[in-house]
Amino acid sequence: MALQYFSEERLDALRHQYSEDKLFQTLSPVLCELQEARGELDPVILWHEVEALRERLKRANHPETEVSFLISYLRKHLTEQTLEKGDVEERSEEHVVESMLIILLLLMFQLTDAVPAADKLDENPNNIVCRALAHILTNPAHEWYIEPMRKNLTLRKKDYLGNEIVLPVVDYMKAKVSLDAMDEIAKNELERILTQVDDLSKGLYPELLHISQDKYLEIWEQICLSSDMLHLMCKKEPRTYGMNFNFKMFCNVLGLLQNTSLKDGRPVLDTNVKEVNDRIGDKNYRNYITYYNQGEHDTNCAYTKKQLAQLQRIVADALTEDEQ
């Protein structure tokens, strides 16, 4: 698969998105110098490739084993570069290896960001994946490039104003990815979930829903762009209902929307639980809607308290964008 062409508009959009990331802010000057001096890929494209690798690892049952296959995947993926007119340019072996190693190094940087310091690596939820990456990156055959690059990327301890750079603790394996970084399987699952959500929600439009149908489906898309949320939505719950996705979570999110207020004070979704229940099916789902916020200790709730907080942020962010 050839490296896809990125239009200037797409690069600008991704740059704007990634520039909110403190780690990207810190590393991008070095990556820009690398692009200028050695003809490396644009820092935005490099970051996007790392994002795609994270999505690949999230979907693996044993991500530490999947790491072993990243070298061959990247070598094939980076060999050809698609140009603006659809032409394909062959990249030299040296350029391919350099891009491959810098992408893996950036992935390592992201995954080690889940703990505040190097002496706490054992507390990192991604520790086993980091160890698998380290096995590749410390290979003597790669030392010629990895070691000076690692030093260059870690050398920058202060910003342009001379202030010490303090990176926040971020678990990138739980971060949301952009749609075009998802693999085809994940995209198909997302599309299937959105279609089912739309079909089940037909009775809510427009009387009970106080936002547009497009905004409502955008919220669901943003939910499913989070890998752990998409994984949850793909579970068949309750199994006795014969649904091909997590119907319990669907109802839980409706309960969340009932308890989320718009700028004008109205709820996103009408608060009449019985009416909402009757519009989405022919059984009693009211407990799933009502007890949406009970977390992992309640059988009516499909997610944990921590995941509920994540859902609340996703909904709030989507509504804030609508108000701007």
Side-chain angles (χ1 to χ4, degrees):
M1 180 176 65
L3 192 67
Q4 64 178 295
Y5 165 70
F6 286 78
S7 67
E8 285 301 319
E9 293 78 12
R10 181 63 184 143
L11 279 176
D12 285 344
L14 283 172
R15 186 178 297 110
H16 178 75
Q17 174 186 329
Y18 296 155
S19 292
E20 298 300 313
D21 186 310
K22 189 71 173 178
L23 184 61
F24 180 80
Q25 292 174 26
T26 303
L27 300 181
S28 55
V30 179
L31 297 177
C32 286
E33 291 170 7
L34 196 64
Q35 181 186 17
E36 187 67 26
R38 300 184 68 92
E40 185 51 84
L41 296 172
D42 186 293
V44 174
I45 296 178
L46 290 171
W47 209 257
H48 182 273
E49 292 300 314
V50 177
E51 189 179 43
L53 289 190
R54 289 202 326 265
E55 179 61 25
R56 184 183 178 98
L57 292 177
K58 287 175 186 176
R59 296 191 53 77
N61 290 329
H62 300 283
E64 70 280 5
T65 303
E66 186 66 23
V67 167
S68 304
F69 295 93
L70 295 184
I71 288 283
S72 58
Y73 164 76
L74 284 172
R75 189 182 297 277
K76 182 177 180 181
H77 178 59
L78 297 170
T79 298
E80 298 177 346
Q81 181 173 3
T82 306
L83 305 177
E84 182 174 1
K85 296 179 181 179
D87 299 328
V88 174
E89 177 184 15
E90 286 284 340
R91 305 181 76 229
S92 70
E93 173 67 12
E94 182 180 13
H95 273 116
V96 168
V97 172
E98 289 179 358
S99 295
M100 176 179 69
L101 292 177
I102 193 64
I103 287 169
L104 291 176
L105 187 58
L106 291 174
L107 176 62
M108 182 73 159
F109 278 14
Q110 289 187 0
L111 298 190
T112 54
D113 232 25
V115 287
D119 61 355
K120 295 185 179 294
L121 292 182
D122 288 341
E123 300 175 17
N124 190 337
N126 309 313
N127 185 33
I128 190 169
V129 179
C130 290
R131 288 180 181 275
L133 278 169
H135 181 74
I136 294 173
L137 294 173
T138 56
N139 186 324
H142 301 151
E143 186 177 2
W144 63 275
Y145 189 68
I146 285 295
E147 191 52 29
M149 187 51 51
R150 184 190 64 77
K151 288 180 179 177
N152 282 338
L153 288 170
T154 55
L155 201 59
R156 196 162 179 267
K157 301 294 184 181
K158 295 184 178 181
D159 63 22
Y160 291 117
L161 297 176
N163 301 314
E164 197 76 22
I165 294 174
V166 179
L167 295 173
V169 176
V170 179
D171 187 351
Y172 279 87
M173 287 297 276
K174 292 185 177 179
K176 183 180 69 177
V177 300
S178 58
L179 183 59
D180 61 8
M182 301 179 88
D183 62 30
E184 288 305 312
I185 295 175
K187 285 181 182 177
N188 290 338
E189 287 182 341
L190 184 145
E191 187 62 34
R192 176 178 66 84
I193 296 298
L194 290 181
T195 298
Q196 290 178 301
V197 164
D198 191 27
D199 287 343
L200 283 168
S201 303
K202 293 297 186 186
L204 306 178
Y205 313 141
E207 294 92 345
L208 302 186
L209 196 64
H210 299 147
I211 55 176
S212 69
Q213 181 179 350
D214 286 345
K215 174 56 66 173
Y216 172 74
L217 293 176
E218 179 192 324
I219 288 173
W220 276 107
E221 180 180 80
Q222 292 303 312
I223 289 172
C224 291
L225 281 173
S226 170
S227 290
D228 58 333
M229 292 298 171
L230 180 59
H231 180 71
L232 262 181
M233 283 298 293
C234 289
K235 287 185 176 180
K236 298 178 183 179
E237 286 194 35
R239 293 187 178 277
T240 54
Y241 281 16
M243 299 284 185
N244 196 30
F245 80 126
N246 199 330
F247 182 73
K248 182 190 293 187
M249 183 170 169
F250 167 72
C251 293
N252 287 164
V253 172
L254 294 185
L256 169 60
L257 296 179
Q258 284 188 316
N259 288 273
T260 302
S261 296
L262 296 168
K263 196 172 183 179
D264 61 10
R266 292 182 301 162
V268 174
L269 182 65
D270 192 288
T271 55
N272 186 329
V273 175
K274 183 180 184 306
E275 182 71 16
V276 170
N277 179 89
D278 293 346
R279 297 286 188 103
I280 61 173
D282 57 0
K283 294 182 181 179
N284 183 359
Y285 321 114
R286 279 175 276 181
N287 282 349
Y288 297 153
I289 300 172
T290 301
Y291 300 111
Y292 75 95
N293 60 351
Q294 297 303 296
E296 59 270 41
H297 302 300
D298 193 298
T299 57
N300 295 302
C301 196
Y303 40 68
T304 66
K305 286 278 191 177
K306 188 174 181 179
Q307 288 169 328
L308 170 61
Q310 183 182 352
L311 285 167
Q312 289 170 325
R313 285 194 300 272
I314 291 171
V315 172
D317 288 347
L319 295 178
T320 298
E321 289 175 4
D322 203 36
E323 292 169 355
Q324 290 176 343

